[in-house]
Amino acid sequence: MSSQLQPPAHLPTHEVLNQATEFVGQNLLTVDTAVHETLQKADAPWLLERAAALGAKAGSPEMQDWGRLANECPPKLKTFDRFGYRIDEVEFHPAYHHLMSTAMEYEIPSAPLNHSDAGHLGFASLAYIFTQAEAGVICPMTMTYAAAPSLKLEPGLDPMWLEKLKNPVYDSRFIPASQKESVTIGMAMTEKQGGSDVRANSTRAVPVDGAGRAKAYLLTGHKWFCSAPMCDAFLTLAYAEGGLSCFLVPRFKPDGTRNNFFIQRLKDKLGNKSNASSEIEYNETWAQLVGEEGAGVRTIIEMVRHTRLACTAGSAALIRHALTLAVHHARHRSAFGKLLSDQPLMQQVLSDLALESEASWQLTARIARAFDAQANDPHEQAISRIGVTLAKYWICKRTPRTVYESMECMGGAGYVEEAPMPRIFRESPLNSIWEGSGNVMALDILRAMQKEPESLQALQKELTSHLGDHPLVDAQLKKLQKELSSMDDIQRRARRITELMATSLQACVMIESSPDWMAEAFIEARLGEDRSQTFGALPTVLPHEKILQRALNC
Ligand SMILES: Cc1cc2nc3c(=O)[nH]c(=O)nc-3n(C[C@H](O)[C@H](O)[C@H](O)COP(=O)(O)OP(=O)(O)OC[C@H]3O[C@@H](n4cnc5c(N)ncnc54)[C@H](O)[C@@H]3O)c2cc1C
């Protein structure tokens, strides 16, 4: 803001002094050295250019304000119109639509469909930058991104779906998908009696005119959580005669009339306010079978695996956003005669938060790169499977505590609703709950160890290639080997095993991708025996100047 536009600091009773400024007008890519380096090394010029443009846009006062407005003016359900017709539509504030347009135009959901070089890294990094303006819109963007791999499993579907997923424009009209320029796709699995355990689903599917792949069925039942219900279609699960099966449910039937998609109400959520999450009922709802009858989990799991990458990137972004606000505040606020950023203990806390942020990003980027390479490289395919589960578990679990500590760095200014921090804080537990909660992720690691032994072998190969790099890494890998040497009480140890794997992988990725001094600081902070549960209580003094300059390069 130019100095002329500044509100007056001289008030009748006092002068406004020592207040931080809004963190706006910065490029969210170039201030973030670690992410910038990743994209410079990615050998995908489209992505570096796109991320720099999105970084400027997401950091602009305008887009930051869309984020605020979309959350302060949440979506409204219109079950009926004023004449009594059932419409089941959700109305959003214009800021939400601006955000959706931006996300689509920057190809967040369509990056892997449109770019064979670094498409998944593109999704992860663009979603990461975007989230620092607004997190809720990333839910429909994630599901739209993740739907393609499952849709590709069913060649009998109308090719229109995949074609329209590629188009980087936002078409918000509530009309049949065939008449739209582009589409968004959601996912509806969770029912009242079972979320993690989808085999408890009670929704039934009856064929209209003979059973089989891509054939029409009528679904009857409900879904207890269905986010972004204004999507054009949903991948959903229901029991057909052959078992639990995956279906595509469009909002309009092929004859152009509204499908039976009854939105019962919107959830009143802790956070994620801009995004509508609904309860829905199907009553003879038209759907098309995707994959074989009975192969529902196998078909939709491809979508879920990709949404898990999005949860990882989204949580890394929340950590990053909170860190940015904390460091910016500390650079502008003084206490006891010195800027907070010059106070030794604050430097130690902020540097520790910055280590967490960089490690979260580096692990996210490593897994996204594995997604990009999975088609041609069995090692990368194995890493993409086990790695996304580890990363989703660990980064999402670390988020609320990291955000909270960043909030505390801002003192009371971090706790008031006018600041973005409460929104970040309320968002922070969500990625750990959906798309497989913490225990489910840890149990999934055990399942992978038993049913896909090549994934554990690939992880071990990657980890042991760093033996000898640092004594603490060696000691940690020994601990992990010991845990893996017995199957006794393995479920009770699943979180411990997952955490040892995740922090080991983070350490190795930091050795590969971050400057030596950054990797060294991370390893000592997170792998050492007397590591602390809070931030800033490390046994070593961190090289704060280098760490904080790298963390917020402006
Ligand atoms: C805001 C929001 C939006 C959502 N949007 C969607 C959506 O669009 N589509 C959709 O399908 N779903 C959606 N969900 C639902 C979400 O995916 C589920 O809440 C989640 O999968 C957990 O299922 P559940 O709530 O039934 O919990 P449960 O399955 O009952 O699990 C409760 C707890 O038990 C743990 N647990 C489960 N099994 C075991 C076990 N064997 N051993 C040990 N612990 C276990 C879990 O880890 C969890 O901590 C949404 C949820 C939220 C909060």
Side-chain angles (χ1 to χ4, degrees), residues 241-307:
E241 209 160 286
L244 191 61
S245 310
C246 180
F247 294 89
L248 185 68
V249 175
R251 289 290 320 254
F252 289 83
K253 291 187 267 192
D255 66 6
T257 59
R258 285 170 192 243
N259 205 355
N260 296 343
F261 188 98
F262 302 119
I263 305 176
Q264 305 301 299
R265 59 175 174 163
L266 297 187
K267 299 284 195 190
D268 185 5
K269 298 174 287 185
L270 170 68
N272 194 248
K273 299 279 186 191
S274 65
N275 180 34
S277 299
S278 65
E279 296 167 16
I280 58 165
E281 284 186 5
Y282 301 134
N283 193 352
E284 300 205 330
T285 303
W286 193 92
Q288 250 183 310
L289 181 63
V290 182
E292 301 281 356
E293 273 195 16
V297 173
R298 214 182 328 133
T299 308
I300 212 164
I301 202 72
E302 269 308 292
M303 180 171 190
V304 172
R305 203 163 65 83
H306 288 76
T307 61

Side-chain angles (χ1 to χ4, degrees), residues 498-544:
T498 306
E499 294 191 8
L500 283 170
M501 286 177 172
T503 46
S504 305
L505 188 57
Q506 268 187 326
C508 295
V509 171
M510 291 283 282
I511 291 171
E512 284 164 21
S513 308
S514 298
D516 293 350
W517 48 269
M518 195 74 187
E520 170 91 20
F522 174 80
I523 289 165
E524 301 220 338
R526 296 294 180 270
L527 270 48
E529 271 311 327
D530 63 351
R531 64 186 189 275
S532 166
Q533 294 307 312
T534 60
F535 289 93
L538 302 173
T540 48
V541 173
L542 292 170
H544 61 87

Side-chain angles (χ1 to χ4, degrees), residues 139 143 186-198 223-229 234-236 267 269-272 275-278 300 308 397 427 429-430 432-443 491 495:
C139 170
M143 295 191 290
M187 170 169 54
M189 295 196 294
T190 310
E191 295 189 4
K192 289 175 187 171
Q193 70 285 355
S196 312
D197 182 7
V198 289
K223 295 292 164 186
W224 180 232
F225 279 90
C226 173
S227 288
F234 297 81
L235 280 162
T236 199
K267 299 284 195 190
K269 298 174 287 185
L270 170 68
N272 194 248
N275 180 34
S277 299
S278 65
I300 212 164
R308 287 177 181 169
K397 277 264 168 281
E427 189 78 20
L430 180 53
S432 194
I433 292 176
W434 60 16
E435 309 308 333
S437 311
N439 287 352
V440 172
M441 291 290 89
L443 294 172
Q491 284 208 15
R495 278 195 182 215

Side-chain angles (χ1 to χ4, degrees), residues 200-422:
N201 274 194
S202 62
T203 297
R204 299 281 145 186
V206 178
V208 175
D209 183 19
R213 293 182 72 138
K215 291 274 204 174
Y217 286 67
L218 296 181
L219 310 190
T220 299
H222 78 283
K223 295 292 164 186
W224 180 232
F225 279 90
C226 173
S227 288
M230 292 307 283
C231 285
D232 298 288
F234 297 81
L235 280 162
T236 199
L237 292 176
Y239 273 99
E241 209 160 286
L244 191 61
S245 310
C246 180
F247 294 89
L248 185 68
V249 175
R251 289 290 320 254
F252 289 83
K253 291 187 267 192
D255 66 6
T257 59
R258 285 170 192 243
N259 205 355
N260 296 343
F261 188 98
F262 302 119
I263 305 176
Q264 305 301 299
R265 59 175 174 163
L266 297 187
K267 299 284 195 190
D268 185 5
K269 298 174 287 185
L270 170 68
N272 194 248
K273 299 279 186 191
S274 65
N275 180 34
S277 299
S278 65
E279 296 167 16
I280 58 165
E281 284 186 5
Y282 301 134
N283 193 352
E284 300 205 330
T285 303
W286 193 92
Q288 250 183 310
L289 181 63
V290 182
E292 301 281 356
E293 273 195 16
V297 173
R298 214 182 328 133
T299 308
I300 212 164
I301 202 72
E302 269 308 292
M303 180 171 190
V304 172
R305 203 163 65 83
H306 288 76
T307 61
R308 287 177 181 169
L309 175 63
C311 293
T312 305
S315 283
L318 295 174
I319 289 174
R320 167 70 202 174
H321 192 187
L323 169 75
T324 302
L325 296 178
V327 174
H328 176 76
H329 183 88
R331 285 179 181 168
H332 290 82
R333 174 88 171 169
S334 300
F336 303 100
K338 261 204 265 191
L339 280 174
L340 290 173
S341 56
D342 290 337
Q343 306 279 2
L345 185 51
M346 182 59 94
Q347 290 167 342
Q348 186 78 347
V349 173
L350 290 173
S351 302
D352 201 357
L353 291 168
L355 290 179
E356 192 70 32
S357 179
E358 173 144 350
S360 301
W361 166 254
Q362 298 290 16
L363 182 55
T364 300
R366 170 68 189 93
I367 306 304
R369 285 195 296 268
F371 273 67
D372 279 322
Q374 62 186 340
N376 307 317
D377 184 336
H379 174 81
E380 292 300 302
Q381 186 181 51
I383 291 291
S384 78
R385 288 177 186 277
I386 197 165
V388 78
T389 314
L390 294 174
K392 198 256 184 207
Y393 171 88
W394 182 240
I395 296 173
C396 298
K397 277 264 168 281
R398 296 291 290 172
T399 306
R401 72 176 64 185
T402 313
V403 172
Y404 145 69
E405 193 69 60
S406 304
M407 177 187 276
E408 191 171 309
C409 292
M410 295 177 66
Y415 195 71
V416 295
E417 288 289 350
E418 285 164 306
M421 199 63 102

